[in-house]
Amino acid sequence: MEAFSRVPMAAFENVGFAYHSLEGETAVLQNISFTVRKGEFLSVVGPSGCGKSTILSLIAGLLEPETGSIFFPACEDESKKVNIGYMLQRDQLFEWRTVLQNVTLGLEIRRKKTKEARKKLEEMLEKYGLGKFKDARPSQLSGGMRQRAALIRTLALEPELLLLDEPFSALDYQTRLSVGDDIGTIIEKEKKTAVLVTHDLGEAISLGTRVLVLSGRPARILADMPLEFPEDLTPLEKRNTAVFQEYFQKIWKELKKDEQ
Ligand code: ADP
Ligand code: MG
């Protein structure tokens, strides 16, 4: 482990959360405590509807915890949150804009679209296999290319913390495997800190450096474990190791135990 990975970026302390509506209260999170550290890729896995997306909304500050608290220790000003990039299941690319115009959109909105910023993004498109498509429309891209473009657009704003909400679930299985591999590699190369939520165990294990296993709703933490592989492998390569199978079984058992 490199030293930078010990710097805490976001921390949950006994966080509890419920949605309130006219029909009543839905308790979603119970006593959730964990820390995301710099350079870490945290996978959050749990059954559908258990509260995974809610955790990301809390990190992003779109929701406030009902009990407990959330800190951003890396910020000098504790009340200020880290700069967050959010990537969703649907890629939200705009059809009337070219790929390059899509990835520069965030910069335009923030009036940060300088020549250098644009050049950097063109280089990133090139580096991650989209160079030839920079003037194409999103509809001309494959599902996997669209997700790569969406990630580059998110990275354009240089987020300190990247939140990924089931970003591959709209893709078919084959594509999902290779896009997962691409996205994981890009995030590692760009040295980003990321939190990925998914209900797909294989995705969580192959992409994460650590996994948080959640129970059914209201979600509690069933396990918080580092994911260590004997050598430096890509997400796809990890899937073919015995260690991957061991983690899979271990997490599967935790989830099954909770279902009973
Ligand atoms: P997950 O991402 O793990 O599938 P969510 O965090 O989206 O789960 O949602 C957790 C639970 O809260 C679900 O049962 C969902 O139906 C409910 N929920 C989500 N958003 C709202 C909302 N705005 N109002 C009421 N209930 C909600
Ligand atoms: Mg969700």
Side-chain angles (χ1 to χ4, degrees):
M1 279 274 157
E2 293 160 72
F4 73 82
S5 70
R6 291 191 211 103
V7 179
M9 288 203 63
F12 275 46
E13 217 174 79
N14 298 318
V15 170
F17 184 83
Y19 289 103
H20 301 271
S21 68
L22 290 176
E23 289 83 51
E25 184 187 280
T26 312
V28 177
L29 303 176
Q30 215 173 54
N31 240 336
I32 301 287
S33 301
F34 67 92
T35 304
V36 188
R37 291 165 198 283
K38 200 168 180 183
E40 200 169 46
F41 193 125
L42 179 68
S43 294
V44 179
V45 73
S48 288
C50 77
K52 300 182 296 297
S53 296
T54 303
I55 287 181
L56 293 190
S57 297
L58 285 161
I59 297 177
L62 303 172
L63 296 171
E64 291 291 325
E66 225 167 38
T67 56
S69 39
I70 299 171
F71 303 102
F72 295 89
C75 289
E76 284 164 33
D77 175 3
E78 276 269 330
S79 64
K80 208 176 133 246
K81 301 200 156 100
V82 286
N83 180 6
I84 280 167
Y86 215 141
M87 189 166 142
L88 304 165
Q89 181 178 337
R90 288 200 44 240
D91 56 47
Q92 321 273 355
L93 297 174
F94 293 118
E95 203 45 55
W96 66 87
R97 291 183 149 241
T98 65
V99 170
L100 180 62
Q101 286 166 346
N102 263 287
V103 301
T104 56
L105 179 67
L107 293 171
E108 261 173 56
I109 291 171
R110 296 189 190 195
R111 300 180 193 287
K112 285 184 179 165
K113 193 178 151 191
T114 58
K115 244 195 193 131
E116 298 79 68
R118 187 189 143 114
K119 186 156 174 284
K120 201 173 151 206
L121 287 174
E122 288 194 63
E123 281 166 10
M124 264 182 104
L125 287 173
E126 193 67 51
K127 185 166 163 194
Y128 298 119
L130 292 168
K132 284 199 202 92
F133 295 89
K134 67 179 198 269
D135 298 317
R137 303 281 159 177
S139 61
Q140 294 170 271
L141 305 185
S142 68
M145 292 165 101
R146 292 179 67 112
Q147 280 310 83
R148 261 182 280 153
L151 178 64
I152 293 170
R153 182 178 61 186
T154 309
L155 293 176
L157 295 171
E158 306 195 327
E160 294 162 271
L161 182 59
L162 203 55
L163 306 179
L164 308 160
D165 196 348
E166 313 236 13
F168 318 120
S169 55
L171 306 169
D172 64 74
Y173 187 68
Q174 290 290 343
T175 313
R176 210 161 81 205
L177 287 184
S178 70
V179 177
D181 203 53
D182 288 346
I183 301 278
T185 307
I186 297 173
I187 290 172
E188 199 189 334
K189 272 198 187 140
E190 303 295 321
K191 294 194 168 51
K192 288 292 168 188
T193 309
V195 180
L196 164 79
V197 311
T198 176
H199 62 271
D200 183 321
L201 282 191
E203 213 162 87
I205 299 165
S206 61
L207 286 162
T209 55
R210 190 155 67 85
V211 64
L212 213 57
V213 185
L214 300 178
S215 71
R217 203 183 70 218
R220 292 166 292 115
I221 296 180
L222 297 174
D224 180 350
M225 57 174 105
L227 296 164
E228 281 158 359
F229 289 81
E231 49 182 330
D232 211 11
L233 300 172
T234 68
L236 264 179
E237 289 167 342
K238 284 182 193 170
R239 287 179 186 259
N240 290 322
T241 63
V243 182
F244 176 92
Q245 291 305 329
E246 279 164 32
Y247 284 130
F248 197 101
Q249 293 303 332
K250 211 162 149 185
I251 298 170
W252 181 259
K253 267 190 205 142
E254 289 292 342
L255 290 167
K256 280 287 154 204
K257 222 168 38 190
D258 175 65
E259 262 180 26
Q260 284 155 10

